[in-house]
Structures are given as C-alpha cells and as structure tokens.
C-alpha cells in the first residue's frame, strides 16, 4: 500500500536528504535548492554557488544528490538538475 504524503512533507524529506550532502557542497562554496516537485514525483534541483559552475557538478549530482534523494524517499521517481555544467 502506497503512503500518501502531501507536498510539504515530501519537501521536508527531500531537504533532510539534501542536508546529508550540504556540508560537502559548502566546503567547496556551493549549495543546492529545490525548485519544484512535480505531480509525477520528479524533483527539480538547482546547484548554486560554485557548484553551479563546477565541471564536476554532474558527478556530484549523480553520485551524491540524486542518490541521497532516491535512497531516502522511494516515492520519488526522478531527480533532475536544471544547471549541470558539462565536464570537458
């Protein structure tokens, strides 16, 4: 049986998952913010500060932020970042 969670509760859970990664982002002068959670349970994030322009941002997103959210909140179907910097 699927648990019904309102959007505020979902955002709180996402923030808690992101809080596990924020010290690492802050150590490099960056952070992350939630832009939206869509009806289909897609989380859209924005990397801010130095994380927004870092060539390693795709790895940070995939291996850190996305993984932390999907692991902590199974009802989330997808995590997207709006501003990943491609690594060259």
């Amino acid at each position: 049986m699927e648990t019904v969670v309102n959007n505020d509760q979902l955002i709180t859970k996402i923030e808690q998952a992101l809080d596990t990664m924020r010290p690492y982002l802050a150590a490099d002068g960056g952070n992350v913010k939630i832009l939206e959670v869509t009806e289909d349970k897609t989380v859209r994030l924005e990397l801010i500060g130095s994380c927004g322009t870092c060539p390693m941002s795709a790895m940070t997103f995939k291996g850190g932020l996305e993984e932390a959210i999907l692991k902590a909140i199974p009802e989330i179907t997808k995590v997207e970042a709006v501003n990943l910097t491609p690594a060259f």
Side-chain angles (χ1 to χ4, degrees), residues 1-77:
M1 183 175 176
E2 186 175 324
T3 304
V4 177
V5 178
N6 73 37
N7 215 35
D8 289 340
Q9 290 172 319
L10 199 54
I11 289 173
T12 299
K13 286 181 170 184
I14 295 165
E15 288 287 359
Q16 289 171 343
L18 292 174
D19 284 347
T20 66
M21 298 301 300
R22 283 194 167 108
Y24 305 105
L25 301 176
D28 290 325
N31 205 341
V32 61
K33 73 176 179 178
I34 301 169
L35 295 178
E36 71 175 323
V37 179
T38 65
E39 286 185 26
D40 69 345
K41 303 290 187 262
T42 297
V43 177
R44 296 186 72 230
L45 302 175
E46 180 182 13
L47 298 170
I48 54 179
S50 63
C51 291
T53 57
C54 176
M56 300 302 285
S57 63
M59 289 177 59
T60 301
F61 170 74
K62 261 314 204 196
L65 302 173
E66 179 184 50
E67 185 177 323
I69 291 170
L70 294 175
K71 190 177 204 178
I73 310 135
E75 56 262 22
I76 297 298
T77 58

